[in-house]
Amino acid sequence: MSRPRIVIVGAGFAGYRTARTLSRLARGRAEIILLNPTDYFLYLPLLPQVAAGILEPRRVTVSLSGTLPHVRLVLGEADRIDLDGRTVHYTGPENEGGTLAYDRLVLAAGSVNKLLPVPGVAEHAHGFRGLPEALYLRDHVTRQVELAASADDPKSCAARCTFVVVGAGYTGTEVAAHGQLFTDAQVSRHPLRTGMRPRWLLLDIADRVLPELDERLSRTANTVLRERGVDVRMGTSVKEATHEGVLLTDGEFVDTRTLVWCVGVRPDPLAESLGLPMERGRLLVDPHLQVPGRPEVFACGDAAAVPDLEKPGEYTPMTAQHAWRQGKVCGHNIAASFGDGERRAYRHKDMGFVVDLGGVKAAANPLGVHLSGPVAGAVTRGYHLAAMPGNRVRVAADWFLDAVLPRQAVQLGLVRSWSVPLDTASPELARVPGGPGRGQGHAAASGGEPAKNQPGGEPAKNQPGGEPAKNQPGGETAKNQPVPAPPADQPPPGSGAAPGPVKRTDTPADPADPAEGDS
């Protein structure tokens, strides 16, 4: 008798935990297949530390094959799911197609960047959802400081050393906090013109930093940011982005070469393509994480609208904490569907949140106890070490070395601007010449450079059209935006070396819908 086959789409917090739970419970009695574009699980909360040069990139990645025994890894991106035929169609890393049949399906595809219809954002900003974007941001910020240090024109120097982060949610706040320390450290070795220092702006139309978290955490983060020199502007966002800078909603034009887009995320459009009942882009499931009418299909994490049994009538927010816990419940319920154990309904209890503000500073409220300063910093790092499914010793070693040695700031040049466009449904993959692409917007598909100004990443709770992530690190392409000419570092259109073809176009997002946080 053949073993039942379980296919898990996505290896984020929910998918990884589901696979790990099933690996332990099944003990070889079921075939478990994990379909994912990369061969690693990415620990997103520490991504700002990669961009700031504290952690090496591999520290925040955990090998899937090395940590998931009895799980078969298939590299690829799901393009289409045939519910009646019980098959998943996917595209592999070398543009080869494939099909996986299943007896049980777990949709844990996560979320993607959400773009608002703000002129110029698609062309001049970058997201902060994957490792390629973090590496690009680190190189870009380093380059801007080095160019500013050698610039003769004061205006050019000031523009290159001005960094705009849109979205004061979890990730945007951490990016700005770590970024200010990172650039200040660089300037100590590459002095700017007399009287000048790097300037970081943090924008959000909300009335406070971290609007989705406890007000005491918000006050702590706001105080640390302002003391550090970050220009925090609440009630303000971007009206238009250009190559020379950004026009703010209050009428001010800020000269900058860097735009970090942390406004919002939305569920991966793969969930919506199934044609099943949805809730703001998320697949509706019951408290046992099963899709009504499709008992063989489970969904968890950002792709699923899971009823919040603690708050009847509401759904659990899109956070890493929920995704991680839902993955465990999903694994148990799949095992129960084969007669191994009892089904469980998903219930949760908030354990608190931690926000790393760089250096020894942090804001945290573990178990409802408000902490700030070095104590919060120690608790925050301890929490991350405990939560990571691997690499704990290496991460701790990098933290120790960062505390006693000068931080290295060099441009590796491994990720180009055109290879990390904002309007992509695959932020975990850098675009490559002639490579496959899924859900790619017009900028990359045409060979144009999506961002001349640079990065971005997470949701700010009350940004126009977007709600933020509660504990970490949007995708519709801005309409009718001009496609800029290809830069020097990009293959020209029609040369056969431009970024690969579109596999699936993102479904338009309703600007009125709130963007949720990320898993």
Side-chain angles (χ1 to χ4, degrees), residues 19-39:
R20 194 169 78 167
T21 302
L22 281 171
S23 173
R24 178 174 58 84
L25 294 175
R27 299 183 181 277
R29 290 173 294 177
E31 182 183 7
I32 306 169
I33 298 178
L34 182 58
L35 176 64
N36 198 60
T38 65
D39 64 352

Side-chain angles (χ1 to χ4, degrees), residues 173-411:
T173 297
E174 288 197 341
V175 167
H178 281 282
Q180 186 73 67
L181 290 179
F182 182 45
T183 52
D184 283 348
Q186 285 182 274
V187 167
S188 67
R189 294 189 294 274
H190 299 279
L192 303 178
R193 300 175 66 89
T194 304
M196 297 186 66
R197 65 168 295 194
R199 176 193 182 198
W200 286 77
L201 279 77
L202 180 61
L203 313 176
D204 199 309
I205 66 166
D207 59 359
R208 61 185 177 93
V209 173
L210 299 173
E212 72 280 11
L213 300 185
D214 183 272
E215 288 192 18
R216 290 175 295 179
L217 294 180
S218 177
R219 286 196 297 270
T220 298
N222 183 69
T223 299
V224 171
L225 290 169
R226 293 184 185 276
E227 288 178 349
R228 197 166 286 170
V230 177
D231 187 353
V232 180
R233 299 194 188 185
M234 297 295 95
T236 307
S237 190
V238 171
K239 185 176 181 180
E240 182 181 1
T242 71
H243 177 54
E244 301 300 325
V246 293
L247 177 64
L248 306 185
T249 53
D250 61 8
E252 179 183 353
F253 187 86
V254 178
D255 291 323
T256 182
R257 300 294 179 268
T258 307
L259 179 58
V260 186
W261 192 251
C262 302
V263 169
V265 297
R266 66 187 181 94
D268 191 295
L270 179 65
E272 196 166 5
S273 71
L274 298 179
L276 296 172
M278 309 293 292
E279 171 63 27
R280 291 184 175 179
R282 293 195 282 171
L283 189 62
L284 279 171
V285 298
D286 63 22
H288 300 95
L289 309 178
Q290 285 179 285
V291 176
R294 294 282 182 178
E296 76 282 2
V297 180
F298 294 74
C300 52
D302 288 0
V306 181
D308 191 337
L309 299 183
E310 303 298 320
K311 300 176 181 178
E314 298 184 19
Y315 298 94
T316 58
M318 296 163 62
T319 69
Q321 285 189 21
H322 283 294
W324 188 248
R325 298 171 187 171
Q326 288 169 10
K328 181 178 181 179
V329 172
C330 187
H332 278 283
N333 288 348
I334 292 174
S337 73
F338 291 115
D340 186 1
E342 298 290 332
R343 291 199 310 166
R344 306 177 182 180
Y346 177 70
R347 290 183 178 273
H348 71 93
K349 182 179 180 181
D350 287 338
M351 305 298 291
F353 296 95
V354 295
V355 184
D356 190 342
L357 300 174
V360 298
K361 301 293 182 70
N365 61 350
L367 302 176
V369 179
H370 180 69
L371 302 173
S372 61
V375 174
V379 168
T380 296
R381 293 198 168 184
Y383 168 81
H384 287 313
L385 285 180
M388 290 191 69
N391 287 352
R392 296 186 181 96
V393 173
R394 289 184 173 91
V395 168
D398 273 6
W399 283 341
F400 172 76
L401 293 175
D402 181 70
V404 300
L405 297 175
R407 194 174 304 177
Q408 291 180 302
V410 294
Q411 299 178 56

Side-chain angles (χ1 to χ4, degrees), residues 7-10 34-37 74-82 87-92 96 98-100 105-109 268-271 273-274 425-426 428-429 437-439 503-504:
V7 174
I8 303 169
V9 178
L34 182 58
L35 176 64
N36 198 60
V74 175
L75 292 178
E77 296 182 89
D79 300 316
R80 182 172 60 88
I81 297 174
D82 182 352
T87 55
V88 177
H89 302 269
Y90 69 93
T91 300
E96 73 279 12
T99 301
L100 295 170
L105 172 68
V106 180
L107 184 63
D268 191 295
L270 179 65
S273 71
L274 298 179
S426 303
E428 65 275 7
L429 295 176
R438 180 173 70 88
K503 289 294 175 189
R504 174 163 50 80

Side-chain angles (χ1 to χ4, degrees), residues 405-427:
L405 297 175
R407 194 174 304 177
Q408 291 180 302
V410 294
Q411 299 178 56
L412 299 179
L414 300 178
V415 182
R416 300 290 187 176
S417 176
W418 60 266
S419 67
V420 283
L422 182 60
D423 54 342
T424 176
S426 303

